[in-house]
Amino acid sequence: MTPAELSRTVLRAVRRAVDEGVLRAPVPERAVVERPRPGGRGDYATNVALKLAGPAGRPAREVAEILRDLLIGYEAISDVEVTGPGFLNVTLAQDAHASVVRTVLTQGRAYGHGGALAGDVVRVGRGPLADAVARLAHAQGATVVRTETGEPGSLPSALVARLGRDAAVWSLLWPTATASPDDLLVQRESNPLFRVRYAHARTRALVRNAGTLGFEGEGEGEVPVEGEGDQLRRVLVDYPGVLEAAARHRAPDRLARHLDMAAEAFFRFHDTHPVLPPGDEKPSVAHRSRLALAEATGTVLAGGLSLLGISAPEHL
């Protein structure tokens, strides 16, 4: 279950409470779902009860308790706790994390695209930042209108000559990623652009090598060992919400940061959980599941880089 799916689930719970007459308040257009802040509980938190308290004329914690009882009945949700003045902290069932692999492999690079901005008209100028905003907005269903104002129509030629087009674009989209744009030329993992593209290339190499060994990723994406790959799966689960936020706030750097986070999570997973079997050992269920997770990660990295206007080579 992605944050967008959880948001819709929360809204369904609100609508049900209103329809059943246990809550008298207008159903909001959207429910903000985000990771709990430091010290928080569960996988996600929402403040929807606080937003409804005023219109409902009831204490926020009372509204939250009503919604908690409705949310706890969903199969993808294992627990809901009311904290603070009325926050709902949601813990997803284990399979809700595992299913993200199935979803990514089924939807491909379209994973995370949706209609959050359907009906909106987004006006953008020219240049790499505007181009990225346009792609993000279009991926969320917005109508994009180009204007002649804003950025120059092309990248500075001197910057492209020095860094190459991809690094030049990255340096403009996320200017604080490195101390100096020239750091993007360093082919090591301290360079976030290299880290993201190398992670993608590594996932593709794993898929190719697995094919040579005669096996593919486990299509169901089940978790063979409890907790294995959870951190990486959470990053993939969060990706649609990041795309929506990046489009809504016209902030491509949010996507760049998330891709960097995905690359770091992938390398941590890869270093501790071998994707390919050693020697002549036959691939196990664990290897197939890990390969599916690696392939899904590569799909997200490639899709995200494409939205930013940056290439995702299969060999580095």
Side-chain angles (χ1 to χ4, degrees), residues 212-224:
T212 301
L213 295 175
F215 79 98
E216 298 178 347
E218 172 56 56
E220 289 300 301
E222 299 297 339
V223 185

Side-chain angles (χ1 to χ4, degrees), residues 39-312:
R41 300 183 179 90
D43 293 306
Y44 294 100
T46 177
N47 65 350
V48 67
L50 282 77
K51 299 293 185 181
L52 291 170
R58 305 175 73 164
R61 283 191 66 91
E62 191 174 306
V63 175
E65 291 290 350
I66 293 171
L67 298 179
R68 177 196 177 279
D69 292 342
L70 295 174
L71 287 170
I72 202 67
Y74 286 90
E75 184 178 351
I77 295 174
S78 66
D79 190 32
V80 182
E81 185 177 357
V82 178
T83 61
F87 291 99
L88 286 161
N89 290 70
V90 180
T91 300
L92 300 181
Q94 183 64 35
D95 185 60
H97 284 306
S99 65
V100 69
V101 174
R102 292 194 295 269
T103 303
V104 174
L105 295 180
T106 299
Q107 296 182 6
R109 293 192 184 189
Y111 172 65
H113 295 204
L117 299 185
D120 289 4
V121 176
V122 177
R123 300 181 184 278
V124 297
R126 304 289 174 177
L129 179 58
D131 291 344
V133 169
R135 283 187 289 267
L136 287 165
H138 180 73
Q140 296 302 312
T143 298
V144 176
V145 176
R146 291 285 189 171
T147 68
E148 295 303 321
T149 61
E151 300 174 85
S154 61
L155 286 167
S157 57
L159 188 64
V160 174
R162 193 167 90 244
L163 302 180
R165 187 186 184 283
D166 286 329
V169 170
W170 183 277
S171 71
L172 293 176
L173 297 182
W174 186 11
T176 60
T178 54
S180 165
D182 289 335
D183 293 338
L184 295 172
L185 296 173
V186 179
Q187 299 293 294
R188 64 170 66 105
E189 289 187 23
S190 60
N191 170 356
L193 175 59
F194 174 76
R195 185 163 55 234
V196 170
R197 299 210 302 171
Y198 179 57
H200 169 261
R202 184 60 187 146
T203 66
R204 300 309 304 157
L206 289 169
V207 172
R208 289 194 302 272
N209 292 338
T212 301
L213 295 175
F215 79 98
E216 298 178 347
E218 172 56 56
E220 289 300 301
E222 299 297 339
V223 185
V225 179
E226 184 175 357
E228 183 175 300
D230 277 358
Q231 183 181 22
L232 180 53
R233 280 183 172 83
R234 281 194 291 270
V235 175
L236 301 187
V237 166
D238 287 348
Y239 178 73
V242 171
L243 288 189
E244 179 183 339
R248 191 177 296 279
H249 298 286
R250 319 293 196 260
D253 64 297
R254 294 193 180 197
L255 174 54
R257 293 171 192 272
H258 193 76
L259 296 180
D260 189 30
M261 187 184 305
E264 289 185 347
F266 167 73
F267 285 123
R268 285 194 293 270
F269 168 75
H270 176 272
D271 291 346
T272 55
H273 300 91
V275 174
L276 302 178
D280 296 329
E281 181 180 321
K282 292 185 177 180
S284 65
V285 173
H287 292 119
R288 295 179 187 277
S289 179
R290 293 168 188 167
L291 179 62
L293 179 53
E295 185 174 2
T297 302
T299 298
V300 165
L301 292 173
L305 286 170
S306 176
L307 287 172
L308 294 177
I310 296 172
S311 67

